[in-house]
Amino acid sequence: MQSFINYSHKHTQIDQNILNSNILECKQRLQCKYSEPDELALRLKLLEELTQFDLGQFLLINRGLNGYWTDYAINYPREQIDELHELEQCLLRSKPFYATYERQQIFKKINQTKVENGAHLAAIPCGLMSELLDLDFSQVNELQITGIDLDNDSLLLSQRKYAALNLTPKISYLKQDAFSLTINNHFDLISSNGLTIYLTEDKDVLQLFTKLYEALKIGGVLVTSFLTYPPLFPELSEQTAGEYNDDDHVARVVFGEILEVSWSCFRTTEQISGLLKQAGFNDITIYGDSKYIFPTCVVRK
């Protein structure tokens, strides 16, 4: 099912003062770090190009993606990417973003198996909730979906998407922090993507998993994901990325050196499995994307 969103339109107003301040901070940091003229010139050129398209501006202000821009990276029509700014094409085709796209397809395939009459599915945090709203509900007539997120924009856009798709499931939304959930034994499935990659401390990941465990019914399933260490950490990396192409090298410079993105909280399979077990989960199955960059975990309460 295709997203209803027209990605050619601006999503939010950019605060020009914050954008200019962040651009200046990036320039100063790069000038201090890179003394070799060609290296510095390349990074300043890429920084300038980031200011020329909406995704780049959002990244410069936030150093991460919200629900809308995550959905954009996953669902932007691949056949139309050539129409975008050259640097934006490069970022969307790079291994990290393509792994996000593959991860979404794995999520939807697994989530589809839980679409049953009487089931109650949830996305926490929900973002635009495409991993649930894009499923096939044609064979059910009694199903509930709950979207929980702290980001008001994501909740509003998800509600618009639901209304446009004219789906049969009953859907409710709750604006709440995942860490303060007080829901117990309620959901048959929780789809939870994207939060762990922003959590530096294992104790915070454990708290999240514990809250999600409590919210599931006995026998309920959690579908979640984590970000593995890149080849820059050879002793910890599990990725099978192979040779990096030009897009990947540019993306590494943009995300790692210019933006210093906040989604760089890597974990090994052993680490994430241990945290899931500590939270109470068992029957852990891992599904990797093609490069094992953004694996999916399916666990049961």
Side-chain angles (χ1 to χ4, degrees):
M1 185 177 292
Q2 295 296 315
S3 172
F4 78 100
I5 297 173
N6 184 344
Y7 290 119
S8 67
H9 292 175
K10 278 185 175 291
H11 166 52
T12 55
Q13 291 294 322
I14 294 295
D15 188 316
Q16 199 63 45
N17 290 330
I18 296 177
L19 178 62
N20 291 339
S21 175
N22 286 9
I23 292 170
L24 180 59
E25 183 276 326
C26 284
K27 283 182 179 179
Q28 292 173 340
R29 173 166 44 79
L30 293 170
Q31 288 166 343
C32 290
K33 186 173 182 179
Y34 297 98
S35 56
E36 203 284 317
D38 288 344
E39 286 189 344
L40 177 60
L42 170 63
R43 284 153 180 82
L44 292 178
K45 177 177 179 292
L46 291 172
L47 173 60
E48 171 59 27
E49 289 181 6
L50 283 170
T51 69
Q52 297 170 13
F53 54 95
D54 293 350
L55 172 60
Q57 293 178 11
F58 186 89
L59 286 168
L60 280 166
I61 289 177
N62 297 280
R63 297 174 55 241
L65 301 175
N66 64 0
Y68 172 84
W69 287 111
T70 299
D71 197 83
Y72 176 94
I74 292 167
N75 290 322
Y76 195 94
R78 296 279 147 177
E79 67 276 8
Q80 297 176 22
I81 285 179
D82 288 346
E83 302 170 7
L84 300 175
H85 188 285
E86 185 176 354
L87 179 56
E88 187 169 16
Q89 293 181 42
C90 170
L91 299 182
L92 291 179
R93 288 173 173 152
S94 66
K95 284 184 173 65
F97 272 27
Y98 190 72
T100 303
Y101 166 78
E102 289 187 306
R103 191 274 314 152
Q104 175 82 340
Q105 307 317 304
I106 294 170
F107 263 52
K108 289 198 288 190
K109 183 176 181 180
I110 295 166
N111 292 345
Q112 184 67 57
T113 67
K114 307 305 291 184
V115 175
E116 303 170 343
N117 277 318
H120 195 163
L121 316 182
I124 310 170
C126 67
L128 269 66
M129 206 156 59
S130 293
E131 73 267 33
L132 294 184
L133 295 185
D134 288 351
L135 300 180
D136 179 5
F137 301 106
S138 61
Q139 302 303 309
V140 298
N141 49 39
E142 292 183 19
L143 184 139
Q144 296 183 67
I145 296 176
T146 298
I148 300 175
D149 206 302
L150 195 59
D151 178 37
N152 196 54
D153 283 346
S154 293
L155 292 171
L156 291 173
L157 282 168
S158 183
Q159 290 175 51
R160 282 176 51 200
K161 175 168 184 168
Y162 169 59
L165 292 174
N166 194 28
L167 300 176
T168 55
K170 178 183 177 182
I171 297 189
S172 59
Y173 290 93
L174 178 63
K175 183 177 180 180
Q176 189 172 10
D177 187 344
F179 295 96
S180 60
L181 283 178
T182 56
I183 301 171
N184 291 296
N185 301 310
H186 199 67
F187 301 117
D188 296 287
L189 169 89
I190 294 177
S191 185
S192 180
N193 168 66
L195 192 49
T196 62
I197 66 176
Y198 293 99
L199 301 177
T200 305
E201 300 295 329
D202 280 358
K203 64 179 178 62
D204 295 328
V205 178
L206 178 58
Q207 182 184 354
L208 172 65
F209 286 164
T210 300
K211 288 292 184 181
L212 299 178
Y213 178 87
E214 292 170 350
L216 282 168
K217 297 176 182 176
I218 299 297
V221 170
L222 168 67
V223 183
T224 189
S225 58
F226 65 104
L227 190 61
T228 59
Y229 284 89
L232 291 173
F233 303 87
E235 294 183 1
L236 295 171
S237 180
E238 303 168 89
Q239 295 182 10
T240 57
E243 292 295 321
Y244 276 62
N245 58 32
D246 291 344
D247 287 347
D248 298 322
H249 285 297
V250 170
R252 180 182 59 80
V253 172
V254 169
F255 294 140
E257 300 175 22
I258 297 175
L259 296 171
E260 294 184 334
V261 292
S262 55
W263 66 63
S264 56
C265 300
F266 310 116
R267 288 180 174 84
T268 65
T269 302
E270 183 179 3
Q271 280 178 289
I272 208 74
S273 298
L275 291 166
L276 286 164
K277 289 176 181 176
Q278 280 183 259
F281 289 104
N282 55 50
D283 191 20
I284 299 172
T285 304
I286 310 291
Y287 298 91
D289 56 89
S290 60
K291 305 300 182 183
Y292 208 78
I293 294 172
F294 211 172
T296 297
C297 306
V298 181
V299 293
R300 190 176 301 276
K301 178 173 177 178

PDB file of all heavy atoms in Angstrom, residues 254-273:
ATOM      1  N   VAL A 254      29.070  13.078   5.695  1.00  0.00           N
ATOM      2  CA  VAL A 254      27.944  13.955   6.064  1.00  0.00           C
ATOM      3  C   VAL A 254      27.417  13.605   7.444  1.00  0.00           C
ATOM      4  O   VAL A 254      27.291  14.469   8.322  1.00  0.00           O
ATOM      5  CB  VAL A 254      26.823  13.853   5.015  1.00  0.00           C
ATOM      6  CG1 VAL A 254      25.553  14.548   5.525  1.00  0.00           C
ATOM      7  CG2 VAL A 254      27.260  14.485   3.698  1.00  0.00           C
ATOM      8  N   PHE A 255      27.095  12.326   7.667  1.00  0.00           N
ATOM      9  CA  PHE A 255      26.482  11.928   8.929  1.00  0.00           C
ATOM     10  C   PHE A 255      27.470  11.955  10.092  1.00  0.00           C
ATOM     11  O   PHE A 255      27.142  12.422  11.177  1.00  0.00           O
ATOM     12  CB  PHE A 255      25.884  10.513   8.803  1.00  0.00           C
ATOM     13  CG  PHE A 255      24.727  10.415   7.864  1.00  0.00           C
ATOM     14  CD1 PHE A 255      24.592   9.321   7.021  1.00  0.00           C
ATOM     15  CD2 PHE A 255      23.758  11.404   7.808  1.00  0.00           C
ATOM     16  CE1 PHE A 255      23.519   9.215   6.152  1.00  0.00           C
ATOM     17  CE2 PHE A 255      22.682  11.319   6.939  1.00  0.00           C
ATOM     18  CZ  PHE A 255      22.565  10.214   6.106  1.00  0.00           C
ATOM     19  N   GLY A 256      28.665  11.444   9.858  1.00  0.00           N
ATOM     20  CA  GLY A 256      29.611  11.276  10.952  1.00  0.00           C
ATOM     21  C   GLY A 256      30.457  12.497  11.263  1.00  0.00           C
ATOM     22  O   GLY A 256      30.725  12.790  12.425  1.00  0.00           O
ATOM     23  N   GLU A 257      30.878  13.239  10.223  1.00  0.00           N
ATOM     24  CA  GLU A 257      31.848  14.314  10.428  1.00  0.00           C
ATOM     25  C   GLU A 257      31.205  15.702  10.402  1.00  0.00           C
ATOM     26  O   GLU A 257      31.603  16.574  11.168  1.00  0.00           O
ATOM     27  CB  GLU A 257      32.953  14.220   9.375  1.00  0.00           C
ATOM     28  CG  GLU A 257      33.717  12.897   9.430  1.00  0.00           C
ATOM     29  CD  GLU A 257      34.732  12.778   8.310  1.00  0.00           C
ATOM     30  OE1 GLU A 257      35.142  13.831   7.764  1.00  0.00           O
ATOM     31  OE2 GLU A 257      35.112  11.640   7.971  1.00  0.00           O
ATOM     32  N   ILE A 258      30.257  15.905   9.508  1.00  0.00           N
ATOM     33  CA  ILE A 258      29.629  17.223   9.406  1.00  0.00           C
ATOM     34  C   ILE A 258      28.491  17.363  10.412  1.00  0.00           C
ATOM     35  O   ILE A 258      28.458  18.298  11.216  1.00  0.00           O
ATOM     36  CB  ILE A 258      29.119  17.472   7.973  1.00  0.00           C
ATOM     37  CG1 ILE A 258      30.299  17.475   6.994  1.00  0.00           C
ATOM     38  CG2 ILE A 258      28.354  18.800   7.906  1.00  0.00           C
ATOM     39  CD1 ILE A 258      29.897  17.589   5.540  1.00  0.00           C
ATOM     40  N   LEU A 259      27.562  16.417  10.375  1.00  0.00           N
ATOM     41  CA  LEU A 259      26.383  16.506  11.238  1.00  0.00           C
ATOM     42  C   LEU A 259      26.613  15.932  12.629  1.00  0.00           C
ATOM     43  O   LEU A 259      25.954  16.354  13.588  1.00  0.00           O
ATOM     44  CB  LEU A 259      25.206  15.767  10.586  1.00  0.00           C
ATOM     45  CG  LEU A 259      24.698  16.347   9.267  1.00  0.00           C
ATOM     46  CD1 LEU A 259      23.691  15.396   8.631  1.00  0.00           C
ATOM     47  CD2 LEU A 259      24.049  17.711   9.507  1.00  0.00           C
ATOM     48  N   GLU A 260      27.521  14.965  12.746  1.00  0.00           N
ATOM     49  CA  GLU A 260      27.701  14.233  14.009  1.00  0.00           C
ATOM     50  C   GLU A 260      26.330  13.791  14.527  1.00  0.00           C
ATOM     51  O   GLU A 260      25.900  14.147  15.622  1.00  0.00           O
ATOM     52  CB  GLU A 260      28.438  15.082  15.049  1.00  0.00           C
ATOM     53  CG  GLU A 260      29.873  15.384  14.652  1.00  0.00           C
ATOM     54  CD  GLU A 260      30.652  16.143  15.729  1.00  0.00           C
ATOM     55  OE1 GLU A 260      30.012  16.864  16.538  1.00  0.00           O
ATOM     56  OE2 GLU A 260      31.874  16.007  15.782  1.00  0.00           O
ATOM     57  N   VAL A 261      25.642  12.991  13.711  1.00  0.00           N
ATOM     58  CA  VAL A 261      24.259  12.617  13.990  1.00  0.00           C
ATOM     59  C   VAL A 261      24.124  11.913  15.333  1.00  0.00           C
ATOM     60  O   VAL A 261      25.052  11.284  15.841  1.00  0.00           O
ATOM     61  CB  VAL A 261      23.691  11.707  12.879  1.00  0.00           C
ATOM     62  CG1 VAL A 261      23.535  12.471  11.586  1.00  0.00           C
ATOM     63  CG2 VAL A 261      24.560  10.462  12.692  1.00  0.00           C
ATOM     64  N   SER A 262      22.917  12.027  15.881  1.00  0.00           N
ATOM     65  CA  SER A 262      22.656  11.483  17.218  1.00  0.00           C
ATOM     66  C   SER A 262      22.170  10.043  17.192  1.00  0.00           C
ATOM     67  O   SER A 262      21.908   9.466  18.237  1.00  0.00           O
ATOM     68  CB  SER A 262      21.614  12.354  17.938  1.00  0.00           C
ATOM     69  OG  SER A 262      20.441  12.491  17.163  1.00  0.00           O
ATOM     70  N   TRP A 263      22.031   9.434  15.973  1.00  0.00           N
ATOM     71  CA  TRP A 263      21.541   8.051  15.914  1.00  0.00           C
ATOM     72  C   TRP A 263      22.714   7.065  15.855  1.00  0.00           C
ATOM     73  O   TRP A 263      22.667   6.055  15.156  1.00  0.00           O
ATOM     74  CB  TRP A 263      20.597   7.840  14.730  1.00  0.00           C
ATOM     75  CG  TRP A 263      21.219   7.958  13.366  1.00  0.00           C
ATOM     76  CD1 TRP A 263      22.200   7.172  12.825  1.00  0.00           C
ATOM     77  CD2 TRP A 263      20.877   8.910  12.353  1.00  0.00           C
ATOM     78  NE1 TRP A 263      22.503   7.582  11.549  1.00  0.00           N
ATOM     79  CE2 TRP A 263      21.711   8.641  11.234  1.00  0.00           C
ATOM     80  CE3 TRP A 263      19.956   9.949  12.284  1.00  0.00           C
ATOM     81  CZ2 TRP A 263      21.634   9.394  10.057  1.00  0.00           C
ATOM     82  CZ3 TRP A 263      19.900  10.679  11.123  1.00  0.00           C
ATOM     83  CH2 TRP A 263      20.719  10.409  10.035  1.00  0.00           C
ATOM     84  N   SER A 264      23.769   7.301  16.569  1.00  0.00           N
ATOM     85  CA  SER A 264      24.979   6.488  16.466  1.00  0.00           C
ATOM     86  C   SER A 264      25.210   5.634  17.707  1.00  0.00           C
ATOM     87  O   SER A 264      26.349   5.424  18.125  1.00  0.00           O
ATOM     88  CB  SER A 264      26.192   7.385  16.213  1.00  0.00           C
ATOM     89  OG  SER A 264      26.312   8.367  17.227  1.00  0.00           O
ATOM     90  N   CYS A 265      24.136   5.145  18.317  1.00  0.00           N
ATOM     91  CA  CYS A 265      24.259   4.287  19.495  1.00  0.00           C
ATOM     92  C   CYS A 265      24.239   2.828  19.035  1.00  0.00           C
ATOM     93  O   CYS A 265      23.176   2.228  18.865  1.00  0.00           O
ATOM     94  CB  CYS A 265      23.135   4.568  20.490  1.00  0.00           C
ATOM     95  SG  CYS A 265      23.147   6.279  21.077  1.00  0.00           S
ATOM     96  N   PHE A 266      25.428   2.284  18.794  1.00  0.00           N
ATOM     97  CA  PHE A 266      25.567   0.946  18.236  1.00  0.00           C
ATOM     98  C   PHE A 266      25.543  -0.107  19.340  1.00  0.00           C
ATOM     99  O   PHE A 266      25.973   0.147  20.469  1.00  0.00           O
ATOM    100  CB  PHE A 266      26.887   0.829  17.463  1.00  0.00           C
ATOM    101  CG  PHE A 266      27.119   1.937  16.477  1.00  0.00           C
ATOM    102  CD1 PHE A 266      28.177   2.826  16.635  1.00  0.00           C
ATOM    103  CD2 PHE A 266      26.283   2.096  15.382  1.00  0.00           C
ATOM    104  CE1 PHE A 266      28.402   3.845  15.727  1.00  0.00           C
ATOM    105  CE2 PHE A 266      26.486   3.114  14.468  1.00  0.00           C
ATOM    106  CZ  PHE A 266      27.554   3.993  14.642  1.00  0.00           C
ATOM    107  N   ARG A 267      25.078  -1.302  18.969  1.00  0.00           N
ATOM    108  CA  ARG A 267      25.114  -2.442  19.892  1.00  0.00           C
ATOM    109  C   ARG A 267      25.331  -3.725  19.116  1.00  0.00           C
ATOM    110  O   ARG A 267      24.975  -3.828  17.939  1.00  0.00           O
ATOM    111  CB  ARG A 267      23.812  -2.516  20.717  1.00  0.00           C
ATOM    112  CG  ARG A 267      23.713  -1.417  21.758  1.00  0.00           C
ATOM    113  CD  ARG A 267      22.453  -1.452  22.594  1.00  0.00           C
ATOM    114  NE  ARG A 267      22.562  -0.434  23.645  1.00  0.00           N
ATOM    115  CZ  ARG A 267      22.260   0.852  23.482  1.00  0.00           C
ATOM    116  NH1 ARG A 267      21.806   1.277  22.326  1.00  0.00           N
ATOM    117  NH2 ARG A 267      22.404   1.717  24.471  1.00  0.00           N
ATOM    118  N   THR A 268      25.917  -4.704  19.791  1.00  0.00           N
ATOM    119  CA  THR A 268      26.087  -6.013  19.174  1.00  0.00           C
ATOM    120  C   THR A 268      24.818  -6.834  19.371  1.00  0.00           C
ATOM    121  O   THR A 268      23.970  -6.520  20.216  1.00  0.00           O
ATOM    122  CB  THR A 268      27.269  -6.764  19.794  1.00  0.00           C
ATOM    123  OG1 THR A 268      26.964  -7.035  21.175  1.00  0.00           O
ATOM    124  CG2 THR A 268      28.559  -5.948  19.713  1.00  0.00           C
ATOM    125  N   THR A 269      24.710  -7.906  18.602  1.00  0.00           N
ATOM    126  CA  THR A 269      23.575  -8.824  18.767  1.00  0.00           C
ATOM    127  C   THR A 269      23.551  -9.389  20.179  1.00  0.00           C
ATOM    128  O   THR A 269      22.483  -9.533  20.787  1.00  0.00           O
ATOM    129  CB  THR A 269      23.675  -9.965  17.742  1.00  0.00           C
ATOM    130  OG1 THR A 269      23.695  -9.402  16.418  1.00  0.00           O
ATOM    131  CG2 THR A 269      22.502 -10.925  17.865  1.00  0.00           C
ATOM    132  N   GLU A 270      24.733  -9.700  20.708  1.00  0.00           N
ATOM    133  CA  GLU A 270      24.809 -10.235  22.072  1.00  0.00           C
ATOM    134  C   GLU A 270      24.317  -9.218  23.089  1.00  0.00           C
ATOM    135  O   GLU A 270      23.580  -9.568  24.026  1.00  0.00           O
ATOM    136  CB  GLU A 270      26.251 -10.635  22.395  1.00  0.00           C
ATOM    137  CG  GLU A 270      26.436 -11.260  23.766  1.00  0.00           C
ATOM    138  CD  GLU A 270      27.869 -11.677  24.043  1.00  0.00           C
ATOM    139  OE1 GLU A 270      28.747 -11.431  23.186  1.00  0.00           O
ATOM    140  OE2 GLU A 270      28.117 -12.246  25.119  1.00  0.00           O
ATOM    141  N   GLN A 271      24.698  -7.962  22.922  1.00  0.00           N
ATOM    142  CA  GLN A 271      24.245  -6.911  23.839  1.00  0.00           C
ATOM    143  C   GLN A 271      22.729  -6.773  23.825  1.00  0.00           C
ATOM    144  O   GLN A 271      22.083  -6.742  24.878  1.00  0.00           O
ATOM    145  CB  GLN A 271      24.876  -5.565  23.457  1.00  0.00           C
ATOM    146  CG  GLN A 271      26.293  -5.343  23.925  1.00  0.00           C
ATOM    147  CD  GLN A 271      26.805  -3.996  23.433  1.00  0.00           C
ATOM    148  OE1 GLN A 271      27.068  -3.800  22.252  1.00  0.00           O
ATOM    149  NE2 GLN A 271      26.917  -3.052  24.346  1.00  0.00           N
ATOM    150  N   ILE A 272      22.147  -6.652  22.628  1.00  0.00           N
ATOM    151  CA  ILE A 272      20.710  -6.402  22.540  1.00  0.00           C
ATOM    152  C   ILE A 272      19.929  -7.613  23.022  1.00  0.00           C
ATOM    153  O   ILE A 272      18.893  -7.482  23.691  1.00  0.00           O
ATOM    154  CB  ILE A 272      20.309  -5.998  21.092  1.00  0.00           C
ATOM    155  CG1 ILE A 272      19.064  -5.096  21.120  1.00  0.00           C
ATOM    156  CG2 ILE A 272      20.084  -7.184  20.207  1.00  0.00           C
ATOM    157  CD1 ILE A 272      19.309  -3.686  21.577  1.00  0.00           C
ATOM    158  N   SER A 273      20.428  -8.809  22.737  1.00  0.00           N
ATOM    159  CA  SER A 273      19.754 -10.026  23.205  1.00  0.00           C
ATOM    160  C   SER A 273      19.779 -10.098  24.721  1.00  0.00           C
ATOM    161  O   SER A 273      18.782 -10.475  25.359  1.00  0.00           O
ATOM    162  CB  SER A 273      20.423 -11.264  22.606  1.00  0.00           C
ATOM    163  OG  SER A 273      20.317 -11.272  21.191  1.00  0.00           O
TER     164      SER A 273
END
